[in-house]
Short mmCIF file of all heavy atoms in Angstrom, two decimals:
data_model
loop_
_atom_site.label_atom_id
_atom_site.label_comp_id
_atom_site.label_asym_id
_atom_site.label_seq_id
_atom_site.Cartn_x
_atom_site.Cartn_y
_atom_site.Cartn_z
N PHE A 1 91.80 109.42 72.38
CA PHE A 1 92.53 110.54 72.02
C PHE A 1 91.87 111.87 72.56
O PHE A 1 90.70 111.85 72.92
CB PHE A 1 92.55 110.66 70.46
CG PHE A 1 91.24 110.96 69.96
CD1 PHE A 1 90.70 112.10 69.79
CD2 PHE A 1 90.48 109.79 69.58
CE1 PHE A 1 89.37 112.33 69.33
CE2 PHE A 1 89.14 109.95 68.99
CZ PHE A 1 88.65 111.23 68.87
N ALA A 2 92.61 112.97 72.54
CA ALA A 2 92.13 114.31 72.83
C ALA A 2 92.85 115.32 72.06
O ALA A 2 94.14 115.15 71.89
CB ALA A 2 92.11 114.56 74.28
N ASP A 3 92.26 116.36 71.68
CA ASP A 3 92.91 117.57 71.30
C ASP A 3 92.20 118.68 72.06
O ASP A 3 91.03 118.95 71.85
CB ASP A 3 92.74 117.87 69.77
CG ASP A 3 93.50 119.16 69.37
OD1 ASP A 3 93.56 120.15 70.02
OD2 ASP A 3 94.20 119.02 68.23
N GLY A 4 92.94 119.23 73.08
CA GLY A 4 92.30 120.23 73.93
C GLY A 4 91.86 121.49 73.28
O GLY A 4 91.06 122.21 73.81
N ASP A 5 92.31 121.74 72.01
CA ASP A 5 91.97 122.94 71.31
C ASP A 5 90.71 122.98 70.50
O ASP A 5 89.97 124.00 70.38
CB ASP A 5 93.10 123.44 70.47
CG ASP A 5 94.38 123.86 71.29
OD1 ASP A 5 94.26 124.38 72.36
OD2 ASP A 5 95.57 123.53 70.75
N ARG A 6 90.41 121.79 69.87
CA ARG A 6 89.41 121.79 68.93
C ARG A 6 88.69 120.42 68.80
O ARG A 6 89.09 119.45 69.39
CB ARG A 6 90.09 122.17 67.50
CG ARG A 6 91.20 121.02 67.14
CD ARG A 6 91.73 121.39 65.72
NE ARG A 6 92.74 120.34 65.42
CZ ARG A 6 92.47 119.25 64.75
NH1 ARG A 6 91.21 118.94 64.42
NH2 ARG A 6 93.46 118.44 64.44
N VAL A 7 87.66 120.47 67.90
CA VAL A 7 87.00 119.16 67.62
C VAL A 7 87.74 118.70 66.43
O VAL A 7 88.57 119.22 65.73
CB VAL A 7 85.53 119.39 67.32
CG1 VAL A 7 84.76 119.94 68.59
CG2 VAL A 7 85.32 120.29 66.16
N LEU A 8 87.35 117.35 65.99
CA LEU A 8 87.85 116.74 64.85
C LEU A 8 87.35 117.26 63.52
O LEU A 8 86.27 117.85 63.50
CB LEU A 8 87.49 115.24 64.77
CG LEU A 8 87.98 114.35 65.93
CD1 LEU A 8 87.36 113.00 65.84
CD2 LEU A 8 89.45 114.31 66.00
N THR A 9 88.19 117.34 62.59
CA THR A 9 87.59 117.68 61.20
C THR A 9 86.81 116.46 60.62
O THR A 9 86.94 115.32 61.21
CB THR A 9 88.82 117.94 60.20
OG1 THR A 9 89.58 116.70 60.01
CG2 THR A 9 89.73 118.98 60.74
N ASP A 10 86.05 116.69 59.65
CA ASP A 10 85.31 115.60 59.03
C ASP A 10 86.21 114.44 58.52
O ASP A 10 85.95 113.27 58.76
CB ASP A 10 84.47 116.11 57.87
CG ASP A 10 83.28 116.97 58.32
OD1 ASP A 10 82.94 117.00 59.51
OD2 ASP A 10 82.84 117.73 57.44
N ALA A 11 87.33 114.80 58.03
CA ALA A 11 88.27 113.74 57.45
C ALA A 11 88.90 113.06 58.64
O ALA A 11 89.09 111.74 58.57
CB ALA A 11 89.45 114.51 56.63
N GLU A 12 89.23 113.67 59.64
CA GLU A 12 89.76 112.94 60.91
C GLU A 12 88.85 112.09 61.54
O GLU A 12 89.12 110.83 61.89
CB GLU A 12 90.25 114.00 61.92
CG GLU A 12 91.53 114.77 61.41
CD GLU A 12 91.88 115.98 62.36
OE1 GLU A 12 90.87 116.40 63.10
OE2 GLU A 12 92.94 116.53 62.29
N ALA A 13 87.55 112.56 61.64
CA ALA A 13 86.55 111.61 62.22
C ALA A 13 86.32 110.35 61.35
O ALA A 13 86.23 109.33 61.89
CB ALA A 13 85.21 112.40 62.45
N ALA A 14 86.31 110.60 60.07
CA ALA A 14 85.97 109.38 59.14
C ALA A 14 87.19 108.51 59.24
O ALA A 14 87.06 107.23 59.23
CB ALA A 14 85.90 109.98 57.76
N GLU A 15 88.51 109.00 59.38
CA GLU A 15 89.65 108.14 59.45
C GLU A 15 89.59 107.24 60.71
O GLU A 15 89.87 106.03 60.67
CB GLU A 15 90.83 108.93 59.28
CG GLU A 15 92.06 108.12 59.44
CD GLU A 15 92.39 106.93 58.46
OE1 GLU A 15 91.79 107.02 57.38
OE2 GLU A 15 92.98 105.96 58.83
N ILE A 16 89.36 107.89 61.81
CA ILE A 16 89.34 107.11 63.13
C ILE A 16 88.22 106.02 63.06
O ILE A 16 88.42 104.91 63.44
CB ILE A 16 89.23 108.13 64.28
CG1 ILE A 16 90.48 108.98 64.45
CG2 ILE A 16 88.91 107.39 65.55
CD1 ILE A 16 90.37 110.08 65.36
N ALA A 17 87.06 106.45 62.58
CA ALA A 17 85.90 105.56 62.66
C ALA A 17 86.17 104.40 61.68
O ALA A 17 85.56 103.26 61.78
CB ALA A 17 84.66 106.27 62.18
N SER A 18 87.03 104.56 60.65
CA SER A 18 87.39 103.48 59.69
C SER A 18 88.25 102.47 60.30
O SER A 18 88.34 101.41 59.74
CB SER A 18 88.02 104.10 58.39
OG SER A 18 89.39 104.45 58.66
N THR A 19 88.89 102.74 61.39
CA THR A 19 89.81 101.91 62.07
C THR A 19 89.18 101.18 63.19
O THR A 19 89.75 100.09 63.67
CB THR A 19 91.09 102.58 62.53
OG1 THR A 19 90.78 103.52 63.56
CG2 THR A 19 91.81 103.23 61.35
N SER A 20 88.12 101.70 63.79
CA SER A 20 87.67 101.18 65.11
C SER A 20 86.11 101.41 65.42
O SER A 20 85.65 102.55 64.98
CB SER A 20 88.45 101.87 66.20
OG SER A 20 87.98 101.37 67.54
N GLY A 21 85.48 100.51 65.97
CA GLY A 21 84.16 100.68 66.44
C GLY A 21 84.05 100.89 67.96
O GLY A 21 83.01 100.76 68.52
N PHE A 22 85.24 101.02 68.56
CA PHE A 22 85.23 101.17 70.08
C PHE A 22 86.27 102.34 70.39
O PHE A 22 87.47 102.16 70.10
CB PHE A 22 85.77 99.89 70.64
CG PHE A 22 85.63 99.78 72.20
CD1 PHE A 22 84.69 100.51 72.84
CD2 PHE A 22 86.43 98.94 72.89
CE1 PHE A 22 84.57 100.46 74.26
CE2 PHE A 22 86.25 98.73 74.22
CZ PHE A 22 85.35 99.53 74.94
N ILE A 23 85.76 103.39 70.81
CA ILE A 23 86.56 104.67 71.00
C ILE A 23 86.26 105.28 72.35
O ILE A 23 85.09 105.25 72.84
CB ILE A 23 86.13 105.67 69.81
CG1 ILE A 23 86.54 105.06 68.54
CG2 ILE A 23 86.68 107.08 69.99
CD1 ILE A 23 85.97 105.86 67.27
N CYS A 24 87.23 105.99 72.98
CA CYS A 24 87.17 106.83 74.13
C CYS A 24 87.68 108.22 73.77
O CYS A 24 88.70 108.41 73.15
CB CYS A 24 87.86 106.22 75.38
SG CYS A 24 87.80 107.26 76.81
N ILE A 25 86.90 109.20 74.14
CA ILE A 25 87.28 110.60 74.06
C ILE A 25 88.06 111.00 75.37
O ILE A 25 87.48 111.00 76.40
CB ILE A 25 86.07 111.48 73.85
CG1 ILE A 25 85.21 110.92 72.66
CG2 ILE A 25 86.57 112.90 73.54
CD1 ILE A 25 85.84 110.83 71.37
N GLU A 26 89.36 111.24 75.18
CA GLU A 26 90.16 111.48 76.30
C GLU A 26 89.87 112.79 77.08
O GLU A 26 89.11 113.66 76.65
CB GLU A 26 91.64 111.50 75.78
CG GLU A 26 92.77 111.90 76.73
CD GLU A 26 92.99 110.74 77.74
OE1 GLU A 26 92.45 109.61 77.56
OE2 GLU A 26 93.77 111.02 78.76
N LYS A 27 90.44 112.92 78.20
CA LYS A 27 90.10 113.86 79.27
C LYS A 27 89.74 115.28 78.94
O LYS A 27 88.84 115.78 79.67
CB LYS A 27 91.17 113.82 80.39
CG LYS A 27 92.53 114.39 80.06
CD LYS A 27 93.45 114.37 81.20
CE LYS A 27 93.99 113.03 81.51
NZ LYS A 27 94.92 112.54 80.50
N ASN A 28 90.47 115.97 78.04
CA ASN A 28 90.31 117.42 77.89
C ASN A 28 89.91 117.70 76.44
O ASN A 28 90.09 118.89 76.12
CB ASN A 28 91.64 118.08 78.27
CG ASN A 28 92.72 117.76 77.24
OD1 ASN A 28 92.75 116.67 76.75
ND2 ASN A 28 93.67 118.67 77.13
N HIS A 29 89.26 116.81 75.73
CA HIS A 29 89.07 117.05 74.36
C HIS A 29 88.10 118.25 74.05
O HIS A 29 86.98 118.28 74.70
CB HIS A 29 88.44 115.83 73.66
CG HIS A 29 88.18 115.93 72.22
ND1 HIS A 29 89.27 116.03 71.29
CD2 HIS A 29 87.03 116.01 71.42
CE1 HIS A 29 88.86 116.16 70.12
NE2 HIS A 29 87.61 116.13 70.13
N ALA A 30 88.57 119.19 73.32
CA ALA A 30 87.84 120.36 72.76
C ALA A 30 87.33 121.29 73.94
O ALA A 30 86.44 122.05 73.75
CB ALA A 30 86.67 119.82 72.06
N ILE A 31 88.06 121.28 74.98
CA ILE A 31 87.56 122.18 76.12
C ILE A 31 87.77 123.65 75.69
O ILE A 31 87.03 124.43 76.12
CB ILE A 31 88.31 121.96 77.41
CG1 ILE A 31 89.85 121.96 77.32
CG2 ILE A 31 87.99 120.57 77.99
CD1 ILE A 31 90.50 122.11 78.66
#
């Protein structure tokens, strides 16, 4: 995933980590 505008909130990071142990940060994240 990516959000070009911002970083994840704490809740978003926790939710994604709860579903997967294998993640890729997409091309333009938080630029």
Side-chain angles (χ1 to χ4, degrees):
F1 65 86
D3 186 317
D5 292 326
R6 62 178 179 87
V7 298
L8 298 175
T9 66
D10 290 343
E12 289 168 344
E15 175 58 27
I16 292 172
S18 75
T19 65
S20 177
F22 191 26
I23 294 170
C24 177
I25 310 301
E26 176 71 11
K27 64 176 76 68
N28 66 333
H29 185 65
I31 57 169

